[in-house]
Amino acid sequence: MTRIAHTPWLLGLLCTASWAQATAPDPALLGCWRATTIVLHTTDGARLEDRSGRCTLRFKEEQLESTCRTTQGLATTTYQYQIVRPQVYATTLAGSTVRTELARTTREYAYRIEGERLHTASVVSATAPDASATGPRTETDATRIACPIAGGCWRQVAARRTRQIPLSFQ
């Protein structure tokens, strides 16, 4: 009888523990990554590829920041993210310096880390199956880099190009 009386409590504890584990950030994902290849598979079957290395990803505890160097300057997009199941995270658009009317609000990405390399690919969402299936599919290969001091890595690159050495990164 005692064993049965504690069963609901134990099941509740196990469910809570597994839920907490599923949403905890993956320590291997945290940090900064330079995208070496970004591939966009459009809905009409086209494949667009960028190997410029002009984009970086910065994974924090609950936030993902994507920064790309463009001809108009820096383009930064910020997402809230969480691990939704093993090797899959979901992003929700939180803000952007570029036009976002075509961007999906929430998307899921499968990821795989092998040493200092990260591969991500958009996947069909388990909670909203039609969300990722109808939009373009993306894949990214990235290499781990040291995270920049406050002020960003692009500021350091710009300073090197103009032969100016910044005194501080504010």
Side-chain angles (χ1 to χ4, degrees):
M1 187 76 136
T2 304
R3 179 181 251 173
I4 295 171
H6 292 296
T7 301
W9 177 83
L10 182 58
L11 287 174
L13 180 62
L14 289 174
C15 289
T16 303
S18 65
W19 176 81
Q21 182 180 5
T23 61
D26 181 346
L29 194 57
L30 299 177
C32 296
W33 305 84
R34 178 169 315 284
T36 55
T37 306
I38 302 170
V39 179
L40 176 69
H41 302 272
T42 64
T43 54
D44 65 0
R47 184 177 189 266
L48 307 171
E49 189 169 320
D50 179 4
R51 292 181 176 265
S52 67
R54 63 189 177 99
C55 297
T56 60
L57 302 170
R58 184 176 198 153
F59 286 87
K60 298 178 182 177
E61 295 289 320
E62 296 176 352
Q63 184 177 341
L64 164 59
E65 185 176 277
S66 170
T67 304
C68 295
R69 189 178 59 241
T70 70
T71 55
Q72 288 81 30
L74 293 181
T76 302
T77 304
T78 305
Y79 304 89
Q80 295 301 318
Y81 87 98
Q82 67 177 7
I83 305 297
V84 292
R85 56 189 180 276
Q87 302 297 292
V88 177
Y89 63 85
T91 62
T92 302
L93 184 63
S96 181
T97 61
V98 295
R99 297 171 57 187
T100 60
E101 55 273 352
L102 297 177
R104 298 271 175 229
T105 303
T106 300
R107 293 195 76 178
E108 289 188 7
Y109 296 86
Y111 70 95
R112 180 180 71 250
I113 298 172
E114 296 173 351
E116 298 297 305
R117 302 193 59 81
L118 167 67
H119 177 80
T120 67
S122 55
V123 295
V124 175
S125 171
T127 56
D130 295 335
S132 297
T134 58
R137 193 169 52 86
T138 59
E139 293 182 59
T140 302
D141 288 311
T143 303
R144 186 178 295 280
I145 60 171
C147 287
I149 303 170
C153 59
W154 299 122
R155 196 173 198 186
Q156 297 168 15
V157 170
R160 278 191 230 123
R161 283 191 180 157
T162 59
R163 299 193 190 280
Q164 295 174 358
I165 300 173
L167 300 175
S168 67
F169 296 101
Q170 300 174 356

